[in-house]
Amino acid sequence: KAGVTQTPRYLIKTRGQQVTLSCSPISGHRSVSWYQQTPGQGLQFLFEYFSETQRNKGNFPGRFSGRQFSNSRSEMNVSTLELGDSALYLCASSTLTGKDAEAFFGQGTRLTVV
Amino acid sequence: GDSVTQMEGPVTLSEEAFLTINCTYTATGYPSLFWYVQYPGEGLQLLLKATKADDKGSNKGFEATYRKETTSFHLEKGSVQVSDSAVYFCALRRQGSGGGADGLTFGKGTHLIIQP
């Protein structure tokens, strides 16, 4: 069974640009969540999608947005990039949404903003 | 808001030593608790979980018990191996108000180094 696939693995962008990251969940998983990992702030929840609907959102500015498609694949978009957006962005999928759900993580996309 | 506190390390042990990584949490209600492990260059892997008080999660020789009275979920292993070297994250997840769940709230992670 294939795991969670994130593309691309590495990205370098210039301040002010926008970027789109992609996540393909494990087959059959309908929930996709996104997390930002930085050395200073650690792992922080961005948002969760379930059946194409955003179910929950973390405390990030509106520059961070996402969507989920009918095949459960998800994209995350960051507009007007800032240096502080440099981070490892992790996607996680699970079969259900709920506090007991086991989240399976991808390897992440390493975004560097210069 | 919710929070998870764990030692950041690095924690350095010799092979076959006993391991304890402390984790305490602050949350309203009855969250589920998780331990995740991250190997270099990899994403996070679920190590074990517990969904209610006094539950014990276990996997690959690791154990943790959900202690509501002390709001703790300490990770233990009786005999560590070099291959256990990684960063370990304690996390919680609460049921949200809209039918789904809140996102995972993570601790800062504990860097574990096992020397042969």
Side-chain angles (χ1 to χ4, degrees), chain B residues 75-98:
Chain B
L75 183 68
E76 296 182 334
K77 186 176 184 183
S79 177
V80 293
Q81 306 299 314
V82 172
S83 57
D84 293 328
S85 298
V87 181
Y88 291 80
F89 293 91
C90 184
L92 68 83
R93 193 171 191 188
R94 278 197 299 122
Q95 196 64 33
S97 56

Side-chain angles (χ1 to χ4, degrees), chain A residues 9 31 33 35 37 39-45 48 55-56 88 90 94 96-108, chain B residues 30-32 34 36 38 41-46 49 51-52 89 93-96 98-108:
Chain A
R9 289 292 310 278
S31 170
S33 301
Y35 293 82
Q37 186 176 24
Q41 299 298 315
L43 281 151
Q44 294 184 284
F45 171 70
E48 179 190 13
R55 297 298 297 268
N56 222 323
L88 180 66
L90 292 167
S94 57
L96 301 170
T97 182
K99 75 177 186 72
D100 299 344
E102 296 183 11
F104 294 83
F105 283 80
Q107 291 185 295
Chain B
Y30 300 91
S32 291
F34 304 84
Y36 280 87
Q38 186 174 35
E42 302 287 323
L44 277 73
Q45 299 177 25
L46 177 65
K49 74 172 187 181
T51 60
K52 60 184 187 298
F89 293 91
R93 193 171 191 188
R94 278 197 299 122
Q95 196 64 33
D102 292 344
L104 287 159
T105 298
F106 287 92
K108 293 287 190 181

Side-chain angles (χ1 to χ4, degrees), chain A residues 5-64:
Chain A
T5 304
Q6 292 188 244
T7 56
R9 289 292 310 278
Y10 301 92
L11 265 179
I12 300 175
K13 289 287 188 179
T14 303
R15 195 169 44 179
Q17 287 186 315
Q18 75 164 11
V19 67
T20 299
L21 312 182
S22 179
C23 173
S24 293
I26 292 172
S27 178
H29 286 196
R30 295 166 61 192
S31 170
V32 173
S33 301
W34 289 89
Y35 293 82
Q36 181 195 66
Q37 186 176 24
T38 60
Q41 299 298 315
L43 281 151
Q44 294 184 284
F45 171 70
L46 282 154
F47 28 67
E48 179 190 13
Y49 286 86
F50 184 81
S51 294
E52 301 180 66
T53 301
Q54 187 179 90
R55 297 298 297 268
N56 222 323
K57 190 176 189 303
N59 190 25
F60 277 81
R63 300 185 297 106
F64 292 81

Side-chain angles (χ1 to χ4, degrees), chain B residues 11-89:
Chain B
V11 173
T12 304
L13 295 172
S14 298
E15 205 166 21
E16 298 183 4
F18 184 86
L19 169 71
T20 300
I21 301 178
N22 289 339
C23 170
T24 57
Y25 68 91
T26 301
T28 56
Y30 300 91
S32 291
L33 302 176
F34 304 84
W35 275 101
Y36 280 87
V37 58
Q38 186 174 35
Y39 298 100
E42 302 287 323
L44 277 73
Q45 299 177 25
L46 177 65
L47 186 57
L48 52 85
K49 74 172 187 181
T51 60
K52 60 184 187 298
D54 299 325
D55 262 5
K56 177 187 281 190
S58 62
N59 185 27
K60 299 181 181 179
F62 291 90
E63 292 183 340
T65 302
Y66 190 143
R67 301 288 188 199
K68 187 147 180 71
E69 64 276 13
T70 54
T71 61
S72 64
F73 193 53
H74 305 322
L75 183 68
E76 296 182 334
K77 186 176 184 183
S79 177
V80 293
Q81 306 299 314
V82 172
S83 57
D84 293 328
S85 298
V87 181
Y88 291 80
F89 293 91

